[in-house]
Amino acid sequence: MAKIKVTLVKSLIGRKKDHIATANALGLKKIGKTVEHELTPQIKGMIDKVNYLLKVEEV
């Protein structure tokens, strides 16, 4: 599996509750926070759901 770096670049304020929950489940609570994940189908689906809030890079 490929590793990816996911960074929160936009605020969660005023977003839908399920989008906030998805970002939190990815480990992103503050703007600028970066986490690394294996690119599994579950993680890919979460990233696709809130992609307008994120910056995604391959490691």
Side-chain angles (χ1 to χ4, degrees), residues 12-57:
L12 297 174
I13 296 172
R15 308 294 178 190
K16 293 182 177 181
K17 287 185 180 182
D18 59 326
H19 289 201
I20 295 170
T22 302
N24 289 340
L26 284 168
L28 303 168
K29 295 183 186 282
K30 294 184 177 184
I31 296 174
K33 173 80 172 167
T34 301
V35 293
E36 287 190 14
H37 287 287
E38 292 285 334
L39 188 58
T40 62
Q42 295 84 4
I43 297 295
K44 173 120 174 62
M46 294 167 75
I47 290 170
D48 288 345
K49 185 172 186 175
V50 293
N51 65 351
Y52 65 99
L53 299 171
L54 308 175
K55 180 175 85 172
V56 181
E57 305 169 353

